[in-house]
Amino acid sequence: MCQECETQGLDRRQLFRLAGGGLTVAALLAAAGRPAAAASSASQWAAVPVTPAEALARLKEGNLRFVKDAQSCAADLSALRGQLAGGQHPWATILTCSDSRVSPELVFGGSTLGDLFVIRNAGNVLDTGALGTIEYGAEHLKSPLVVVMGHSNCGAVTAACDEVTKGSEIGGSIGKMLQPILPVALAAREGAQDFVAETVRQNAISGARRITEESDILRELVGSGNVMVVAGVYDITSGLVDFIEAI
């Protein structure tokens, strides 16, 4: 069952909590005496219903629910749209591939409107646009978790691996877009039992590492404990996400 089914007919933002974790958003807003959209910049972190670790736990729990019971359900999206019209507070930011078999909202257990801040491109490449979007999600929307997620049988990574092993050059803008994957593929080639699979994994890890290496904003937020950055690989056959937290 998806998250929307579990809270159907109720305010999802008021119910988001994990075992052992803090106040609900409703309690926070009641204490503040104003809606989330009107919260000051100094108190916006408090308006986020989860810590980085709780956000990661929620993704893991949602992914297991997706694997066990991936059936869809009818969600009251019209009411939810009204609730979110004044602002958004996504609890996770996902950089992943544009592959049609990879849908973060489904992969993580029926996440719905307002939950995930998603960036997608071929090969989940951390380019300027992706990094700027991640910065916006973390700094302005107060999203406490960033996940760079590759997936099995990735066509973009396979093309990069073919360029390394066969000299097959990809033309057009996609060729330029895949340039950051090439050094990852070169490094992963040595001793890899499955060249493409290892490159997928290392590409996700590389992207996650580069976020804090190339962004002063994210480096500060991670250093303060307000944001966590992890990598992951989604298996398109089993539906499981292998999270890589030590990056």
Side-chain angles (χ1 to χ4, degrees), residues 20-59:
L23 295 173
T24 63
V25 177
L28 289 169
L29 297 182
R34 61 186 184 278
S40 67
S41 59
S43 64
Q44 277 184 315
W45 279 112
V48 178
V50 289
T51 67
E54 288 170 341
L56 181 58
R58 185 183 294 176
L59 285 186

Side-chain angles (χ1 to χ4, degrees), residues 120-138:
R120 301 181 68 173
N121 60 46
N124 43 275
V125 173
L126 186 74
D127 54 18
T128 301
L131 186 56
T133 304
I134 293 170
E135 287 181 342
Y136 181 81

Side-chain angles (χ1 to χ4, degrees), residues 6-234:
E6 294 174 351
T7 59
Q8 189 169 9
L10 297 174
D11 185 345
R12 292 168 49 83
R13 290 294 174 180
Q14 295 176 358
L15 296 178
F16 271 160
R17 67 174 79 182
L18 295 176
L23 295 173
T24 63
V25 177
L28 289 169
L29 297 182
R34 61 186 184 278
S40 67
S41 59
S43 64
Q44 277 184 315
W45 279 112
V48 178
V50 289
T51 67
E54 288 170 341
L56 181 58
R58 185 183 294 176
L59 285 186
K60 290 180 177 179
E61 190 276 333
N63 179 233
L64 290 178
R65 184 168 60 252
F66 168 71
V67 172
K68 292 177 181 178
D69 184 5
Q71 67 179 357
S72 61
C73 70
D76 187 8
L77 296 181
S78 59
L80 188 56
R81 285 197 303 268
Q83 294 170 23
L84 294 171
Q88 58 171 321
H89 295 289
W91 49 266
T93 297
I94 315 291
L95 169 59
T96 194
C97 186
S98 294
D99 193 296
S100 62
R101 298 166 293 183
V102 182
S103 175
E105 291 81 2
L106 296 178
V107 167
F108 294 117
S111 299
T112 188
L113 298 176
D115 286 350
L116 304 181
F117 198 55
V118 179
I119 309 102
R120 301 181 68 173
N121 60 46
N124 43 275
V125 173
L126 186 74
D127 54 18
T128 301
L131 186 56
T133 304
I134 293 170
E135 287 181 342
Y136 181 81
E139 184 176 40
H140 296 282
L141 301 181
K142 310 304 178 186
S143 175
L145 178 68
V146 178
V147 181
V148 179
M149 188 175 74
H151 69 93
S152 59
N153 299 348
C154 178
V157 170
T158 300
C161 290
D162 285 345
E163 184 165 344
V164 167
T165 58
K166 305 174 185 177
S168 306
E169 294 188 10
I170 307 299
S173 296
I174 185 63
K176 299 176 183 177
M177 186 177 183
L178 297 182
Q179 288 301 307
I181 305 178
L182 295 180
V184 177
L186 284 167
R189 182 182 183 184
E190 189 67 27
Q193 293 185 341
D194 187 325
F195 181 28
V196 173
E198 183 60 20
T199 303
V200 166
R201 179 180 175 84
Q202 294 302 324
N203 184 51
I205 293 173
S206 174
R209 286 176 176 165
R210 286 176 51 213
I211 287 173
T212 51
E213 291 173 353
E214 299 178 16
S215 170
D216 293 338
I217 293 172
L218 268 300
R219 185 162 53 250
E220 180 178 344
L221 290 173
V222 169
S224 66
N226 284 317
V227 171
M228 179 191 300
V229 180
V230 302
V233 176
Y234 171 63

